[in-house]
């Protein structure tokens, strides 16, 4: 299936051609940021073409062999590119109220691929700019959660004793309260509207399960023969942690992170839906659903579209996460 | 694995010997048509048991042969039993799958068989879970499960490898007693010619999936023809286990 | 068994103390208190606001408040709601049955469907049905639960008009119905919210069960069972299914917090007057006492679920009975 490689590049060229008019507009009248974005489009186009014509390393072509992995990467890639190039892909600002008299709750059409909402904003632009917000929250919050979780898990697994006892009871407590509850309490009490505080809070409540996973891995690896051998050879404890244990916990952490981004996107959507997440008028997929929920009968597409976007993103991430698991786990490499 | 052809007569004890990876265990599983994918048995192969071709038998016949006419004992005694069911219930179900007996009769036969394989307190063993028995006791129970339906052929795949040396000798003795007392044929598979020597009438030597020698055991030990057989004869401990091997 | 339960109960107590403490401090170190925004806007004098604060003990140092609070909780007194001046326990008890009915029905349906699908998939591994269900369960697993609720409302309440999409009973006509009619009315209102929670959960459960069943089927004792000539039915149901359920029992305990999180969203979507909707309300109105109590109640529910899972596990697996 070598020909499959030409699918992304074709789609991307198609994107540039279809939006050529918009690209021209931005080049001549856009802000500096928008002009940079246009330049980036062509750089990326060149990169994608280069990637298509040069041979891939064995590892990469093996990774992308299964059909579902290809589709998932394609979907995720498309969503990410549309998010990054949102100003090019959409003709409107996501918060502009286009026509308050005749443009409210328009069903999907050529001018508005996803229709408009109750104050006549273009839903396609809102979903694209919403993708930026949702993906950014997902990536940053997971980075934070993974960092904390890894440190706590390594500390608990390695030091054992009362350190482990205290940390793990803390994790138990964290896991025994529904995450949405923690988030609601913290977000509402601090009355935050700032997106970075939101990321911080989601990150701070997301590390519990990672630390459990890392601890279990450390406990397992600590007893393995090669670690015992390293200790027997007189290698320092710090050296063992960095050279022997850390490399072995990285693969499960990467898998955990990939799946975690999807979970954070779901959590953010839920929180925004309850009115405690990203604050209007800025769109995230969750806030768009919340906006639309009041008009669900008159304009069902407002609720439907961002939900489909969320599901597509999270499914793709899950497929890639599963694939990473089989690829990165040396114990499973036989089937690879 | 290459081509392989041999036969076993009624009441005979045949040993299959070879170094690890030579295809001994695959042979054992193939005899019951239990090779799991991606492995497969070549289409033109035949395994004939009392005139019935096992590889072409329908599910019902195959089920009747498995456990009913051919019993099998695995290397790892823990592998024979489902860890969450009692020993007794698993022996019962084997018997009841092949003989039309009531629950009570099955229970009685199972306990009888457990005492036949030399387990003390067979009633206690009957109602205990696999993990509460020692390895040697588990293997005895596994043998009981394999012979409970009176099969004409017993396959023992490395039955002693996972056990202590002292227990090994007891298990071999038990297998000998059982086959001597009945018309049951036995195929015993081992990497250790010393084990085979104690029990088998005839021995087959496998090397890289090929049959390289098929001879009466005594003759094989005294005059091995194939160089591989000679190697195995040299490697085998002569009589008793070597000093320092008992753990 | 007794020792196991005792140990678990002690652990649960520690976790509950941690939960209470952390929610209490989280709330009390947060800037502002419930009487700041509302009362000053509504023209209540500063003296009156201070008076109210004193009534609720909010003027005392935080550690004194904490000590008093722990003492009250230990004696079963969860305090007064700042908003309605009613005992918190009364408010919780009023809402709890709705949530318990919703989540327990969802939990049963979740695991019944999930285990059934997962087992079937592992049995028919690689078939067209297995591949279709793999995609379907993954999609459910990745769908926002509240959005799925909206989709069900759109389909069954808006388009087909066969099931109600909000509330516990049909307001206005419920009182005039016969007892049987009342029951049917309640069931009709349960179908959509329960299905929303259960189907989303079943996606994860089925994926988990499929993996557990495949793992079990690859084990030696299954080969042994086949070698003994047992029927496929016996092999699958008596030997494989039973063992594959062991990890799924552990999942049961772990999925309770997820289910409660989901119920906060689903109760909001379906205007279901339970603990979840109460959480959103009291968090919005900064009703500290109610919020802290909900944290405690959720933890108790989750820990009780874990305890049940542990007991089930030791019943199902004889090996777990010996270890403490």
């Amino acid at each position: 299936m070598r020909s499959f490689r030409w699918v992304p590049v074709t789609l991307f060229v198609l994107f540039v051609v279809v939006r050529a008019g918009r690209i021209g507009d931005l080049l001549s009248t856009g802000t500096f940021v928008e002009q940079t974005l246009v330049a980036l489009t062509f750089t990326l186009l060149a990169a994608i073409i280069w990637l298509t014509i040069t041979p891939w390393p064995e590892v990469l072509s093996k990774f992308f062999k299964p059909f579902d992995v290809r589709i998932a990467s394609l979907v995720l890639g498309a969503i990410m590119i549309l998010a990054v190039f949102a100003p090019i892909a959409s003709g409107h600002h996501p918060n502009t109220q286009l026509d308050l008299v005749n443009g409210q709750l328009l069903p999907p059409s050529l001018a508005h691929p996803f229709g408009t909402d109750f104050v006549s904003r273009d839903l396609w632009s809102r979903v694209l700019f919403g993708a930026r917000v949702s993906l950014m929250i997902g990536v940053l919050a997971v980075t934070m959660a993974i960092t904390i979780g890894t440190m706590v898990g390594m500390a608990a697994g390695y030091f054992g004793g009362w350190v482990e006892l205290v940390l793990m009871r803390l994790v138990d407590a964290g896991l025994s309260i529904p995450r949405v509850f923690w988030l609601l309490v913290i977000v509402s009490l601090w009355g935050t509207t700032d997106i970075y505080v939101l990321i911080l809070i989601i990150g701070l409540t997301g590390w519990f399960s990672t630390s459990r996973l890392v601890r279990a891995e450390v406990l397992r690896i600590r007893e393995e023969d090669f670690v015992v051998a390293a200790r027997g050879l007189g290698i320092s404890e710090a050296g063992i942690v960095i050279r022997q244990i850390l490399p072995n916990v990285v693969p499960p952490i990467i898998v955990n992170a990939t799946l975690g981004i999807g979970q954070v996107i779901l959590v953010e959507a839920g929180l925004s839906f309850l009115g405690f997440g990203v604050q209007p008028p800025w769109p995230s997929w969750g806030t768009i659903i919340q906006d639309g929920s009041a008009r669900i009968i008159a304009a069902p597409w407002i609720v439907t579209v961002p939900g489909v976007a969320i599901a597509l993103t999270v499914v793709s991430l899950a497929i890639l996460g599963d694939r990473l698991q089989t690829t990165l786990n040396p114990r499973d490499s036989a089937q690879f | 694995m290459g081509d392989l052809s041999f036969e076993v007569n009624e009441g005979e004890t045949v040993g299959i010997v070879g170094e690890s990876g030579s295809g001994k265990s695959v042979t054992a599983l193939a005899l019951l048509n239990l090779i799991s994918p991606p492995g497969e048995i070549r289409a033109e192969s035949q395994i004939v048991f009392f005139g019935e071709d096992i590889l072409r038998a329908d599910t019902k016949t195959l089920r009747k042969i498995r456990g009913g006419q051919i019993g099998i004992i695995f290397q790892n005694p823990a592998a024979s039993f489902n860890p969450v069911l009692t020993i007794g219930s698993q022996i019962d179900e084997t018997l009841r799958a092949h003989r039309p007996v009531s629950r009570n009769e099955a229970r009685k036969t199972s306990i009888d068989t457990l005492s036949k394989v030399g387990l003390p307190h067979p009633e206690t063993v009957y109602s205990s879970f696999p993990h509460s028995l020692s390895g040697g006791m588990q293997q005895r129970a596994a043998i009981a499960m394999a012979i409970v339906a009176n099969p004409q052929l017993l396959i023992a795949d490395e039955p002693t490898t996972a056990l202590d040396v002292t227990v090994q000798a007891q298990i071999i003795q038990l297998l000998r007693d059982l086959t001597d007392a009945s018309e049951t044929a036995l195929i015993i598979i081992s990497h250790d010619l010393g084990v085979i020597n104690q029990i088998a009438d005839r021995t087959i030597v496998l090397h890289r999936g090929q049959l390289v020698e098929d001879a009466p055991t005594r003759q094989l030990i005294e005059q091995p023809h194939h160089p591989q057989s000679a190697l195995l004869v040299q490697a085998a401990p002569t009589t008793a286990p070597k000093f320092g091997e008992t753990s | 068994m007794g020792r196991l339960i005792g140990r678990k109960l002690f652990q649960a107590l520690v976790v509950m103390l941690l939960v209470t403490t952390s929610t209490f401090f989280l709330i009390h170190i947060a800037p502002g208190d419930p009487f700041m925004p509302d009362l000053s806007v509504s023209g209540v004098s500063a003296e009156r606001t201070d008076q109210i604060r004193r009534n609720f003990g909010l003027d005392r140092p935080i550690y004194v408040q904490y000590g008093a609070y722990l003492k009250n909780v230990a004696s079963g007194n969860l305090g007064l709601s700042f908003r309605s001046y009613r005992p918190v326990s009364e408010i919780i008890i009023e809402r709890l049955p709705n949530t318990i009915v919703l989540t327990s029905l969802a939990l049963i349906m979740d695991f019944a469907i999930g285990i059934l699908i997962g087992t079937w998939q592992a049995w028919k591994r690689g078939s067209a049905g297995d591949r279709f269900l793999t995609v379907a369960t993954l999609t459910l697993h990745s769908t926002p639960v509240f959005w799925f609720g909206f989709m069900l409302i759109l389909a069954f309440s808006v388009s087909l008009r066969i099931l109600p999409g909000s509330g516990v009973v049909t307001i206005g006509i419920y009182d005039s119905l016969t007892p049987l009619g009342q029951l049917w009315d309640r069931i009709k209102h349960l179908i959509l919210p329960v299905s929303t929670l259960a189907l989303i959960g079943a996606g994860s459960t089925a994926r988990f069960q499929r993996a557990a069943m495949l793992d079990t089927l690859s084990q030696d004792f299954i080969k042994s069972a086949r070698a003994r000539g047992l029927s496929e039915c016996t092999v699958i149901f008596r030997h494989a299914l039973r063992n594959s359920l062991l990890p799924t029992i552990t999942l049961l305990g772990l999925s309770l917090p997820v289910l409660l999180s989901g119920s906060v969203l689903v109760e909001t979507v379906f205007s279901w007057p339970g603990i979840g909707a109460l959480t959103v309300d009291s968090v919005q109105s900064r009703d500290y006492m109610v919020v802290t109590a909900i944290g405690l109640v959720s933890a108790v529910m989750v820990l009780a679920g874990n305890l049940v899972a542990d007991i089930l596990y030791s019943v199902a697996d004889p090996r777990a009975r010996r270890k403490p």
Side-chain angles (χ1 to χ4, degrees), chain B residues 29 34 63 66-67 72 74 79-85 89-90 93-94 97-98 129 131 145, chain C residues 220-221 223-224 226-232 234 238-239 242-243 246 316-319 321-322:
Chain B
L29 291 176
L34 273 174
R63 276 217 314 263
R66 290 176 179 169
I72 186 163
F74 292 101
S80 301
F81 291 102
N82 184 335
V84 306
L85 299 175
S89 73
Q90 298 185 60
E93 73 179 352
T94 313
H98 300 290
F129 287 99
H131 66 95
M145 187 158 72
Chain C
D220 283 337
F221 70 82
K223 195 167 266 179
S224 155
R226 292 223 165 92
R228 286 187 278 135
L230 305 181
S231 69
E232 193 62 17
T234 314
R238 187 170 140 86
H239 287 274
R242 216 185 135 137
N243 290 59
L246 294 177
D317 187 354
R319 286 165 300 179
R321 275 173 228 162
R322 290 202 311 175

Side-chain angles (χ1 to χ4, degrees), chain B residues 41 76 79 90 98 111 118 128-130 141 145 148 157 185 192 210-211 214 225 232 235:
Chain B
I41 303 172
N76 178 1
Q90 298 185 60
H98 300 290
I111 292 177
S128 39
F129 287 99
M145 187 158 72
V148 71
D157 179 9
D192 183 352
Q210 302 280 353
L211 187 151
D214 181 349
H225 280 288
L232 287 167

Side-chain angles (χ1 to χ4, degrees), chain A residues 175-178, chain C residues 253 256-258 260 297-307:
Chain A
L175 282 174
S176 58
I177 294 200
Chain C
L256 267 172
V258 180
L260 286 178
V297 169
S298 323
V300 170
M301 282 169 75
V302 169
L303 291 169
N306 278 329
L307 192 65

